[in-house]
PDB file of all heavy atoms in Angstrom:
ATOM      1  N   TYR A   1     121.046 138.331  85.330  1.00 97.00           N
ATOM      2  CA  TYR A   1     122.442 137.865  85.419  1.00 97.00           C
ATOM      3  C   TYR A   1     122.463 136.378  85.719  1.00 97.00           C
ATOM      4  O   TYR A   1     123.477 135.747  85.458  1.00 97.00           O
ATOM      5  CB  TYR A   1     123.201 138.664  86.508  1.00 97.00           C
ATOM      6  CG  TYR A   1     123.416 140.135  86.227  1.00 97.00           C
ATOM      7  CD1 TYR A   1     123.439 141.043  87.273  1.00 97.00           C
ATOM      8  CD2 TYR A   1     123.545 140.602  84.934  1.00 97.00           C
ATOM      9  CE1 TYR A   1     123.623 142.401  87.006  1.00 97.00           C
ATOM     10  CE2 TYR A   1     123.759 141.956  84.677  1.00 97.00           C
ATOM     11  CZ  TYR A   1     123.765 142.870  85.772  1.00 97.00           C
ATOM     12  OH  TYR A   1     123.955 144.170  85.511  1.00 97.00           O
ATOM     13  N   ASP A   2     121.373 135.842  86.193  1.00 97.00           N
ATOM     14  CA  ASP A   2     121.302 134.432  86.407  1.00 97.00           C
ATOM     15  C   ASP A   2     121.464 133.629  85.083  1.00 97.00           C
ATOM     16  O   ASP A   2     122.162 132.643  85.043  1.00 97.00           O
ATOM     17  CB  ASP A   2     120.047 133.996  87.137  1.00 97.00           C
ATOM     18  CG  ASP A   2     118.761 134.528  86.519  1.00 97.00           C
ATOM     19  OD1 ASP A   2     118.819 135.479  85.668  1.00 97.00           O
ATOM     20  OD2 ASP A   2     117.654 134.069  86.835  1.00 97.00           O
ATOM     21  N   LEU A   3     120.845 134.140  84.043  1.00 96.00           N
ATOM     22  CA  LEU A   3     121.044 133.571  82.721  1.00 96.00           C
ATOM     23  C   LEU A   3     122.462 133.754  82.249  1.00 96.00           C
ATOM     24  O   LEU A   3     123.122 132.827  81.690  1.00 96.00           O
ATOM     25  CB  LEU A   3     120.047 134.177  81.706  1.00 96.00           C
ATOM     26  CG  LEU A   3     120.155 133.692  80.248  1.00 96.00           C
ATOM     27  CD1 LEU A   3     120.011 132.158  80.184  1.00 96.00           C
ATOM     28  CD2 LEU A   3     119.178 134.392  79.405  1.00 96.00           C
ATOM     29  N   GLN A   4     122.969 134.971  82.455  1.00 97.00           N
ATOM     30  CA  GLN A   4     124.353 135.271  82.074  1.00 97.00           C
ATOM     31  C   GLN A   4     125.364 134.344  82.762  1.00 97.00           C
ATOM     32  O   GLN A   4     126.213 133.757  82.077  1.00 97.00           O
ATOM     33  CB  GLN A   4     124.665 136.750  82.435  1.00 97.00           C
ATOM     34  CG  GLN A   4     126.010 137.203  82.017  1.00 97.00           C
ATOM     35  CD  GLN A   4     126.325 138.605  82.489  1.00 97.00           C
ATOM     36  OE1 GLN A   4     126.213 138.866  83.667  1.00 97.00           O
ATOM     37  NE2 GLN A   4     126.705 139.468  81.538  1.00 97.00           N
ATOM     38  N   TYR A   5     125.248 134.180  84.043  1.00 98.00           N
ATOM     39  CA  TYR A   5     126.232 133.352  84.737  1.00 98.00           C
ATOM     40  C   TYR A   5     126.024 131.836  84.386  1.00 98.00           C
ATOM     41  O   TYR A   5     127.015 131.124  84.383  1.00 98.00           O
ATOM     42  CB  TYR A   5     126.270 133.574  86.227  1.00 98.00           C
ATOM     43  CG  TYR A   5     125.168 133.164  87.126  1.00 98.00           C
ATOM     44  CD1 TYR A   5     124.777 131.809  87.277  1.00 98.00           C
ATOM     45  CD2 TYR A   5     124.465 134.118  87.897  1.00 98.00           C
ATOM     46  CE1 TYR A   5     123.755 131.474  88.093  1.00 98.00           C
ATOM     47  CE2 TYR A   5     123.468 133.756  88.714  1.00 98.00           C
ATOM     48  CZ  TYR A   5     123.109 132.433  88.854  1.00 98.00           C
ATOM     49  OH  TYR A   5     122.067 132.080  89.743  1.00 98.00           O
ATOM     50  N   ALA A   6     124.869 131.397  84.023  1.00 97.00           N
ATOM     51  CA  ALA A   6     124.695 130.060  83.598  1.00 97.00           C
ATOM     52  C   ALA A   6     125.424 129.824  82.271  1.00 97.00           C
ATOM     53  O   ALA A   6     126.106 128.849  82.058  1.00 97.00           O
ATOM     54  CB  ALA A   6     123.194 129.732  83.452  1.00 97.00           C
ATOM     55  N   ILE A   7     125.307 130.769  81.347  1.00 97.00           N
ATOM     56  CA  ILE A   7     125.996 130.681  80.062  1.00 97.00           C
ATOM     57  C   ILE A   7     127.538 130.760  80.298  1.00 97.00           C
ATOM     58  O   ILE A   7     128.267 129.984  79.665  1.00 97.00           O
ATOM     59  CB  ILE A   7     125.517 131.799  79.083  1.00 97.00           C
ATOM     60  CG1 ILE A   7     124.050 131.558  78.717  1.00 97.00           C
ATOM     61  CG2 ILE A   7     126.423 131.864  77.872  1.00 97.00           C
ATOM     62  CD1 ILE A   7     123.427 132.672  77.965  1.00 97.00           C
ATOM     63  N   TYR A   8     127.997 131.629  81.172  1.00 98.00           N
ATOM     64  CA  TYR A   8     129.410 131.688  81.455  1.00 98.00           C
ATOM     65  C   TYR A   8     129.912 130.392  82.038  1.00 98.00           C
ATOM     66  O   TYR A   8     131.049 129.998  81.775  1.00 98.00           O
ATOM     67  CB  TYR A   8     129.692 132.864  82.425  1.00 98.00           C
ATOM     68  CG  TYR A   8     129.590 134.259  81.909  1.00 98.00           C
ATOM     69  CD1 TYR A   8     129.705 135.388  82.740  1.00 98.00           C
ATOM     70  CD2 TYR A   8     129.327 134.532  80.558  1.00 98.00           C
ATOM     71  CE1 TYR A   8     129.630 136.672  82.297  1.00 98.00           C
ATOM     72  CE2 TYR A   8     129.240 135.843  80.096  1.00 98.00           C
ATOM     73  CZ  TYR A   8     129.350 136.885  80.955  1.00 98.00           C
ATOM     74  OH  TYR A   8     129.297 138.176  80.494  1.00 98.00           O
ATOM     75  N   THR A   9     129.094 129.777  82.874  1.00 98.00           N
ATOM     76  CA  THR A   9     129.503 128.528  83.491  1.00 98.00           C
ATOM     77  C   THR A   9     129.628 127.447  82.473  1.00 98.00           C
ATOM     78  O   THR A   9     130.543 126.628  82.537  1.00 98.00           O
ATOM     79  CB  THR A   9     128.518 128.101  84.621  1.00 98.00           C
ATOM     80  OG1 THR A   9     128.538 129.220  85.572  1.00 98.00           O
ATOM     81  CG2 THR A   9     128.995 126.894  85.318  1.00 98.00           C
ATOM     82  N   VAL A  10     128.736 127.396  81.481  1.00 98.00           N
ATOM     83  CA  VAL A  10     128.818 126.441  80.428  1.00 98.00           C
ATOM     84  C   VAL A  10     130.131 126.639  79.636  1.00 98.00           C
ATOM     85  O   VAL A  10     130.809 125.689  79.342  1.00 98.00           O
ATOM     86  CB  VAL A  10     127.628 126.508  79.458  1.00 98.00           C
ATOM     87  CG1 VAL A  10     127.842 125.676  78.208  1.00 98.00           C
ATOM     88  CG2 VAL A  10     126.331 126.078  80.127  1.00 98.00           C
ATOM     89  N   ALA A  11     130.471 127.884  79.381  1.00 97.00           N
ATOM     90  CA  ALA A  11     131.746 128.178  78.699  1.00 97.00           C
ATOM     91  C   ALA A  11     132.918 127.699  79.545  1.00 97.00           C
ATOM     92  O   ALA A  11     133.872 127.095  78.976  1.00 97.00           O
ATOM     93  CB  ALA A  11     131.868 129.690  78.390  1.00 97.00           C
ATOM     94  N   LEU A  12     132.891 127.945  80.816  1.00 98.00           N
ATOM     95  CA  LEU A  12     133.965 127.450  81.691  1.00 98.00           C
ATOM     96  C   LEU A  12     134.087 125.931  81.665  1.00 98.00           C
ATOM     97  O   LEU A  12     135.172 125.388  81.572  1.00 98.00           O
ATOM     98  CB  LEU A  12     133.732 127.914  83.146  1.00 98.00           C
ATOM     99  CG  LEU A  12     134.709 127.414  84.181  1.00 98.00           C
ATOM    100  CD1 LEU A  12     136.167 127.872  83.873  1.00 98.00           C
ATOM    101  CD2 LEU A  12     134.263 127.842  85.578  1.00 98.00           C
ATOM    102  N   VAL A  13     132.948 125.238  81.741  1.00 98.00           N
ATOM    103  CA  VAL A  13     132.912 123.796  81.719  1.00 98.00           C
ATOM    104  C   VAL A  13     133.511 123.263  80.387  1.00 98.00           C
ATOM    105  O   VAL A  13     134.333 122.324  80.372  1.00 98.00           O
ATOM    106  CB  VAL A  13     131.498 123.281  81.942  1.00 98.00           C
ATOM    107  CG1 VAL A  13     131.338 121.812  81.500  1.00 98.00           C
ATOM    108  CG2 VAL A  13     131.085 123.414  83.381  1.00 98.00           C
ATOM    109  N   ARG A  14     133.130 123.902  79.279  1.00 97.00           N
ATOM    110  CA  ARG A  14     133.737 123.449  78.026  1.00 97.00           C
ATOM    111  C   ARG A  14     135.237 123.652  77.980  1.00 97.00           C
ATOM    112  O   ARG A  14     135.945 122.762  77.448  1.00 97.00           O
ATOM    113  CB  ARG A  14     133.019 124.164  76.838  1.00 97.00           C
ATOM    114  CG  ARG A  14     131.641 123.710  76.634  1.00 97.00           C
ATOM    115  CD  ARG A  14     130.943 124.394  75.533  1.00 97.00           C
ATOM    116  NE  ARG A  14     129.654 123.800  75.210  1.00 97.00           N
ATOM    117  CZ  ARG A  14     128.992 124.031  74.102  1.00 97.00           C
ATOM    118  NH1 ARG A  14     129.433 124.802  73.203  1.00 97.00           N
ATOM    119  NH2 ARG A  14     127.798 123.438  73.947  1.00 97.00           N
ATOM    120  N   LEU A  15     135.696 124.740  78.520  1.00 97.00           N
ATOM    121  CA  LEU A  15     137.103 124.987  78.577  1.00 97.00           C
ATOM    122  C   LEU A  15     137.838 123.942  79.460  1.00 97.00           C
ATOM    123  O   LEU A  15     138.861 123.393  79.046  1.00 97.00           O
ATOM    124  CB  LEU A  15     137.440 126.385  79.106  1.00 97.00           C
ATOM    125  CG  LEU A  15     138.904 126.732  79.326  1.00 97.00           C
ATOM    126  CD1 LEU A  15     139.614 126.839  77.988  1.00 97.00           C
ATOM    127  CD2 LEU A  15     139.032 128.024  80.097  1.00 97.00           C
ATOM    128  N   LEU A  16     137.276 123.715  80.591  1.00 97.00           N
ATOM    129  CA  LEU A  16     137.848 122.699  81.512  1.00 97.00           C
ATOM    130  C   LEU A  16     137.858 121.295  80.910  1.00 97.00           C
ATOM    131  O   LEU A  16     138.891 120.584  81.073  1.00 97.00           O
ATOM    132  CB  LEU A  16     137.165 122.701  82.861  1.00 97.00           C
ATOM    133  CG  LEU A  16     137.332 123.979  83.703  1.00 97.00           C
ATOM    134  CD1 LEU A  16     136.460 123.911  84.956  1.00 97.00           C
ATOM    135  CD2 LEU A  16     138.800 124.206  84.028  1.00 97.00           C
ATOM    136  N   ARG A  17     136.785 120.934  80.269  1.00 96.00           N
ATOM    137  CA  ARG A  17     136.762 119.659  79.591  1.00 96.00           C
ATOM    138  C   ARG A  17     137.848 119.535  78.568  1.00 96.00           C
ATOM    139  O   ARG A  17     138.519 118.464  78.430  1.00 96.00           O
ATOM    140  CB  ARG A  17     135.376 119.401  78.978  1.00 96.00           C
ATOM    141  CG  ARG A  17     134.524 118.471  79.710  1.00 96.00           C
ATOM    142  CD  ARG A  17     133.419 117.916  78.843  1.00 96.00           C
ATOM    143  NE  ARG A  17     132.191 118.397  79.396  1.00 96.00           N
ATOM    144  CZ  ARG A  17     131.295 119.203  78.805  1.00 96.00           C
ATOM    145  NH1 ARG A  17     131.456 119.591  77.585  1.00 96.00           N
ATOM    146  NH2 ARG A  17     130.197 119.530  79.388  1.00 96.00           N
ATOM    147  N   ALA A  18     138.066 120.569  77.800  1.00 97.00           N
ATOM    148  CA  ALA A  18     139.069 120.574  76.762  1.00 97.00           C
ATOM    149  C   ALA A  18     140.505 120.510  77.361  1.00 97.00           C
ATOM    150  O   ALA A  18     141.347 119.808  76.853  1.00 97.00           O
ATOM    151  CB  ALA A  18     138.953 121.819  75.871  1.00 97.00           C
ATOM    152  N   ARG A  19     140.689 121.225  78.441  1.00 96.00           N
ATOM    153  CA  ARG A  19     142.055 121.310  79.074  1.00 96.00           C
ATOM    154  C   ARG A  19     142.359 120.093  79.964  1.00 96.00           C
ATOM    155  O   ARG A  19     143.472 119.625  80.018  1.00 96.00           O
ATOM    156  CB  ARG A  19     142.187 122.584  79.882  1.00 96.00           C
ATOM    157  CG  ARG A  19     142.064 123.864  79.079  1.00 96.00           C
ATOM    158  CD  ARG A  19     143.473 124.316  78.637  1.00 96.00           C
ATOM    159  NE  ARG A  19     143.361 125.405  77.707  1.00 96.00           N
ATOM    160  CZ  ARG A  19     143.533 126.699  77.991  1.00 96.00           C
ATOM    161  NH1 ARG A  19     143.708 127.043  79.243  1.00 96.00           N
ATOM    162  NH2 ARG A  19     143.448 127.648  77.056  1.00 96.00           N
ATOM    163  N   LEU A  20     141.358 119.649  80.723  1.00 96.00           N
ATOM    164  CA  LEU A  20     141.607 118.598  81.706  1.00 96.00           C
ATOM    165  C   LEU A  20     141.237 117.223  81.169  1.00 96.00           C
ATOM    166  O   LEU A  20     141.675 116.238  81.792  1.00 96.00           O
ATOM    167  CB  LEU A  20     140.791 118.875  82.981  1.00 96.00           C
ATOM    168  CG  LEU A  20     141.070 120.207  83.668  1.00 96.00           C
ATOM    169  CD1 LEU A  20     140.133 120.390  84.881  1.00 96.00           C
ATOM    170  CD2 LEU A  20     142.531 120.336  84.077  1.00 96.00           C
ATOM    171  N   GLY A  21     140.543 117.105  80.120  1.00 96.00           N
ATOM    172  CA  GLY A  21     140.163 115.878  79.490  1.00 96.00           C
ATOM    173  C   GLY A  21     139.379 114.991  80.419  1.00 96.00           C
ATOM    174  O   GLY A  21     138.483 115.475  81.146  1.00 96.00           O
ATOM    175  N   PRO A  22     139.678 113.670  80.504  1.00 95.00           N
ATOM    176  CA  PRO A  22     138.904 112.789  81.277  1.00 95.00           C
ATOM    177  C   PRO A  22     138.982 113.011  82.812  1.00 95.00           C
ATOM    178  O   PRO A  22     138.182 112.476  83.560  1.00 95.00           O
ATOM    179  CB  PRO A  22     139.449 111.390  80.949  1.00 95.00           C
ATOM    180  CG  PRO A  22     140.801 111.677  80.319  1.00 95.00           C
ATOM    181  CD  PRO A  22     140.734 113.048  79.725  1.00 95.00           C
ATOM    182  N   ASP A  23     139.939 113.839  83.233  1.00 96.00           N
ATOM    183  CA  ASP A  23     140.048 114.170  84.643  1.00 96.00           C
ATOM    184  C   ASP A  23     139.066 115.183  85.125  1.00 96.00           C
ATOM    185  O   ASP A  23     138.878 115.426  86.328  1.00 96.00           O
ATOM    186  CB  ASP A  23     141.467 114.626  84.959  1.00 96.00           C
ATOM    187  CG  ASP A  23     142.504 113.565  84.847  1.00 96.00           C
ATOM    188  OD1 ASP A  23     142.155 112.346  85.003  1.00 96.00           O
ATOM    189  OD2 ASP A  23     143.685 113.887  84.552  1.00 96.00           O
ATOM    190  N   TYR A  24     138.376 115.885  84.166  1.00 96.00           N
ATOM    191  CA  TYR A  24     137.419 116.920  84.526  1.00 96.00           C
ATOM    192  C   TYR A  24     136.213 116.351  85.252  1.00 96.00           C
ATOM    193  O   TYR A  24     135.670 115.323  84.914  1.00 96.00           O
ATOM    194  CB  TYR A  24     136.944 117.655  83.259  1.00 96.00           C
ATOM    195  CG  TYR A  24     135.691 118.447  83.557  1.00 96.00           C
ATOM    196  CD1 TYR A  24     135.779 119.630  84.249  1.00 96.00           C
ATOM    197  CD2 TYR A  24     134.440 117.952  83.218  1.00 96.00           C
ATOM    198  CE1 TYR A  24     134.601 120.342  84.605  1.00 96.00           C
ATOM    199  CE2 TYR A  24     133.279 118.684  83.473  1.00 96.00           C
ATOM    200  CZ  TYR A  24     133.372 119.874  84.161  1.00 96.00           C
ATOM    201  OH  TYR A  24     132.230 120.508  84.517  1.00 96.00           O
ATOM    202  N   ASP A  25     135.816 117.026  86.328  1.00 97.00           N
ATOM    203  CA  ASP A  25     134.626 116.742  87.095  1.00 97.00           C
ATOM    204  C   ASP A  25     134.008 118.001  87.595  1.00 97.00           C
ATOM    205  O   ASP A  25     134.643 118.786  88.319  1.00 97.00           O
ATOM    206  CB  ASP A  25     134.945 115.797  88.258  1.00 97.00           C
ATOM    207  CG  ASP A  25     133.732 115.491  89.105  1.00 97.00           C
ATOM    208  OD1 ASP A  25     132.758 114.873  88.564  1.00 97.00           O
ATOM    209  OD2 ASP A  25     133.664 115.918  90.251  1.00 97.00           O
ATOM    210  N   TYR A  26     132.747 118.258  87.280  1.00 98.00           N
ATOM    211  CA  TYR A  26     132.067 119.492  87.687  1.00 98.00           C
ATOM    212  C   TYR A  26     132.157 119.712  89.192  1.00 98.00           C
ATOM    213  O   TYR A  26     132.541 120.767  89.643  1.00 98.00           O
ATOM    214  CB  TYR A  26     130.599 119.487  87.218  1.00 98.00           C
ATOM    215  CG  TYR A  26     129.874 120.774  87.533  1.00 98.00           C
ATOM    216  CD1 TYR A  26     129.941 121.819  86.662  1.00 98.00           C
ATOM    217  CD2 TYR A  26     129.082 120.906  88.702  1.00 98.00           C
ATOM    218  CE1 TYR A  26     129.271 123.052  86.952  1.00 98.00           C
ATOM    219  CE2 TYR A  26     128.434 122.085  89.006  1.00 98.00           C
ATOM    220  CZ  TYR A  26     128.520 123.150  88.083  1.00 98.00           C
ATOM    221  OH  TYR A  26     127.890 124.347  88.401  1.00 98.00           O
ATOM    222  N   ASP A  27     131.819 118.692  89.970  1.00 97.00           N
ATOM    223  CA  ASP A  27     131.766 118.880  91.405  1.00 97.00           C
ATOM    224  C   ASP A  27     133.150 119.142  91.970  1.00 97.00           C
ATOM    225  O   ASP A  27     133.274 119.843  92.973  1.00 97.00           O
ATOM    226  CB  ASP A  27     131.192 117.614  92.036  1.00 97.00           C
ATOM    227  CG  ASP A  27     129.711 117.444  91.664  1.00 97.00           C
ATOM    228  OD1 ASP A  27     129.012 118.441  91.536  1.00 97.00           O
ATOM    229  OD2 ASP A  27     129.310 116.249  91.455  1.00 97.00           O
ATOM    230  N   SER A  28     134.184 118.637  91.384  1.00 97.00           N
ATOM    231  CA  SER A  28     135.520 118.834  91.883  1.00 97.00           C
ATOM    232  C   SER A  28     136.169 120.174  91.403  1.00 97.00           C
ATOM    233  O   SER A  28     136.949 120.764  92.118  1.00 97.00           O
ATOM    234  CB  SER A  28     136.466 117.725  91.487  1.00 97.00           C
ATOM    235  OG  SER A  28     136.002 116.500  91.985  1.00 97.00           O
ATOM    236  N   HIS A  29     135.846 120.531  90.183  1.00 98.00           N
ATOM    237  CA  HIS A  29     136.578 121.614  89.512  1.00 98.00           C
ATOM    238  C   HIS A  29     135.898 122.974  89.445  1.00 98.00           C
ATOM    239  O   HIS A  29     136.536 123.986  89.344  1.00 98.00           O
ATOM    240  CB  HIS A  29     137.021 121.204  88.108  1.00 98.00           C
ATOM    241  CG  HIS A  29     138.042 120.083  88.135  1.00 98.00           C
ATOM    242  ND1 HIS A  29     137.740 118.827  87.753  1.00 98.00           N
ATOM    243  CD2 HIS A  29     139.297 120.100  88.526  1.00 98.00           C
ATOM    244  CE1 HIS A  29     138.836 118.068  87.891  1.00 98.00           C
ATOM    245  NE2 HIS A  29     139.788 118.850  88.406  1.00 98.00           N
ATOM    246  N   VAL A  30     134.540 122.971  89.446  1.00 98.00           N
ATOM    247  CA  VAL A  30     133.845 124.253  89.269  1.00 98.00           C
ATOM    248  C   VAL A  30     133.427 124.795  90.654  1.00 98.00           C
ATOM    249  O   VAL A  30     132.666 124.161  91.361  1.00 98.00           O
ATOM    250  CB  VAL A  30     132.629 124.095  88.337  1.00 98.00           C
ATOM    251  CG1 VAL A  30     131.848 125.387  88.221  1.00 98.00           C
ATOM    252  CG2 VAL A  30     133.061 123.613  86.978  1.00 98.00           C
TER     253      VAL A  30
END
C-alpha cells in the first residue's frame, strides 16, 4: 500500500497543481 499511496499522492498533487495553479505548495497543501 506504500506504493499505492505514493501513486495516489502524485495524482492528488497533479489535481492541486491544476486547480490552485501557482499558489500550490506541497508543504502547505498536502
Side-chain angles (χ1 to χ4, degrees):
Y1 295 148
D2 51 344
L3 177 58
Q4 182 185 53
Y5 70 64
I7 293 169
Y8 288 174
T9 303
V10 170
L12 174 62
V13 163
R14 288 181 172 195
L15 175 69
L16 292 175
R17 255 198 246 118
R19 297 267 171 98
L20 302 176
D23 292 334
Y24 163 75
D25 176 66
Y26 184 84
D27 295 323
S28 299
H29 292 110
V30 177

